[in-house]
DNA sequence: TCGCACATGTAAATCGTTACATGATTAT
DNA sequence: ATAATCATGTAACGATTTACATGTGCGA
């Protein structure tokens, strides 16, 4: 009952609003549907759902499988109210946590193979999540997949993640090629191709800002 | 002296490897150069740098401004060693934390205006960071900007963030238009345009996977 | 000279993770 | 029957954030 609900609390409450679940099912579902945008450990979820009960947003009922207990959770009317109230508030902005890029920023303290490894490891990780996400979408277009009346929402997120993954993977290819072409990882500075790329990026930004100003 | 250094420890150590800084300058520099990929609060940095000293990776010297103390930090040879060792290990995969998308996933528990606000607020946040990043790059191409011999590294990160921001902003436009076109936020399901978009995404993934298999 | 923003931290609270533990189920 | 894996948590630890506090310099 202490402290306020966090964003993670509402995330879980939102899952309960769709359906009642056992704690373990909640961890599966959270992993399946939210991990790409809101990554939390499974152990955290076991704790968080108890807090929901403490606030009166969910009820717990214990079932029994053989000699072992398990807990099923369901949302309460107060929980639905709280969820709706939260949904009416504005979200925090996106946050990226990309250790591979951090390492690239510091790459001149190591050697070229370190920088290349950072890029390749990052690419592998994205390739894996991208593939998992796409398999889920394949199920949906084949008429499979849970809660088909919610596909329009899931599909919106999937399209974003696919765009993100494509951008990230393309960037990995470019970055790897460029690092490979450096004589060394230190002291390269502003080469002509780099200057050109930056100018392109700036021009693209300016075009967008200009378009935005024209609207209204 | 307790517990192991975290990724954030090494991030800070990497900054010290470039240059000695006062604690406050460290917070400024971390915000300027790392926040987009490794966001940490400024207060955290004050604590973290003391831990670096505890491990013998940095030394602290206190200066004085009027009646007020301030602390300057510098990396030690042991710190450089530790940093190089860390750079030789593989990074964790990228993590996204996008509350706006989380809200969209749960959007059928609220109403259409909630979903639209989630998208618009997200777009505003990205627009702001994108602009700040671009202004830094503008300084670099004009020959301004700190540590010009490191521009090749910074530019690589900038190109990624620009690509990310473009993808995210484009997606925001698409999402807003699509949500706007829904009669209601609930029960829409798999419409024909949505199915088409998903199939396109899957095909794009398959093409990429095919290309990847052809290499080697 | 008053107030406000910048500079420089500290302490407490807490969100979240890692490590552990144990019952049930399935494959071999 | 045994090993491995799935299911279902708990408890401790620690990384990070939020809130607070105070000095300093500058503009009105």
């Amino acid at each position: 009952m202490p402290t306020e609900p966090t964003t993670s609390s509402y995330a879980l409450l939102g899952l309960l609003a769709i359906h009642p679940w056992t704690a373990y099912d909640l961890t599966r579902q959270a992993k399946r549907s939210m991990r790409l945008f809101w990554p939390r450990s499974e152990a955290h979820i076991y704790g968080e759902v108890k807090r929901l009960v403490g606030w009166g947003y969910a009820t717990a009922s214990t079932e029994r499988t053989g000699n072992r207990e398990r807990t099923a959770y369901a949302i309460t009317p107060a929980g639905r109210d709280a969820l709706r109230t939260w949904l009416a508030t504005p979200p925090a902005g996106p946050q990226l946590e990309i250790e591979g890029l951090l390492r690239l920023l510091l790459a001149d303290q190591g050697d070229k193979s370190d920088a290349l490894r950072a890029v390749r490891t990052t690419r592998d990780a994205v390739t894996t999540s991208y593939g998992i996400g796409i398999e889920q979408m394949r199920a949906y277009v084949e008429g499979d997949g849970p809660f088909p009346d919610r596909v329009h929402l899931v599909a919106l997120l999937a399209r974003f993640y696919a765009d993100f993954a494509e951008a990230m993977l393309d960037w990995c290819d470019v970055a790897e090629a460029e690092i490979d072409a450096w004589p060394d990882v230190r002291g390269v500075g502003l080469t002509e191709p780099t200057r050109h790329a930056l100018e392109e990026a700036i021009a693209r930004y300016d075009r967008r800002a200009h378009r935005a100003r024209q609207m209204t």
Side-chain angles (χ1 to χ4, degrees), chain A:
Chain A
M1 70 217 191
T3 78
E4 295 295 285
T6 65
T7 301
S8 299
S9 315
Y10 289 112
L12 226 40
L13 191 56
L15 250 30
L16 286 178
I18 299 171
H19 200 72
W21 314 80
T22 72
Y24 184 74
D25 287 342
L26 269 177
T27 68
R28 306 312 288 178
Q29 187 59 25
K31 185 170 181 178
R32 179 186 158 85
S33 65
M34 320 193 313
R35 198 181 27 130
L36 292 182
F37 313 108
W38 201 256
R40 291 301 176 262
S41 87
E42 315 199 347
H44 179 67
I45 294 176
Y46 284 101
E48 193 65 56
V49 72
K50 295 191 163 188
R51 306 205 316 151
L52 291 181
V53 174
W55 294 311
Y57 294 167
T59 57
S61 56
T62 68
E63 312 169 353
R64 194 158 282 278
T65 318
N67 194 19
R68 177 162 213 170
E69 287 202 338
R70 75 173 164 185
T71 315
Y73 294 90
I75 195 170
T76 63
R80 287 197 192 275
D81 277 0
L83 182 58
R84 261 197 304 273
T85 302
W86 176 72
L87 280 172
T89 64
Q95 309 257 67
L96 310 187
E97 202 166 279
I98 308 183
E99 197 185 310
L101 296 192
L102 183 62
R103 283 158 182 267
L104 229 46
L105 179 66
L106 309 174
D108 57 346
Q109 307 299 322
D111 58 32
K112 237 170 88 161
S113 69
D114 297 336
L116 289 171
R117 176 176 31 245
V119 173
R120 293 199 189 109
T121 305
T122 299
R123 172 166 41 216
D124 290 348
V126 172
T127 300
T128 299
S129 334
Y130 189 13
I132 292 173
I134 287 288
E135 290 319 315
Q136 289 183 25
M137 292 314 107
R138 238 190 266 276
Y140 275 116
V141 297
E142 286 164 11
D144 233 16
F147 306 108
D149 53 320
R150 304 186 71 253
V151 182
H152 57 306
L153 301 174
V154 176
L156 230 36
L157 305 208
R159 286 160 73 177
F160 170 76
Y161 195 80
D163 289 350
F164 165 77
E166 289 284 333
M168 177 111 236
L169 294 175
D170 283 343
W171 177 87
C172 284
D173 293 343
V174 169
E176 187 174 354
E178 178 161 334
I179 294 168
D180 229 357
W182 290 341
D184 183 33
V185 81
R186 22 192 339 163
V188 174
L190 185 57
T191 63
E192 204 41 56
T194 294
R195 167 191 295 279
H196 184 71
L198 284 183
E199 277 166 354
E200 283 293 310
I202 292 169
R204 183 171 52 160
Y205 171 85
D206 287 341
R207 281 198 303 276
R208 181 181 285 275
H210 186 252
R211 279 202 317 274
R213 265 197 308 279
Q214 297 227 311
M215 321 266 290
T216 96

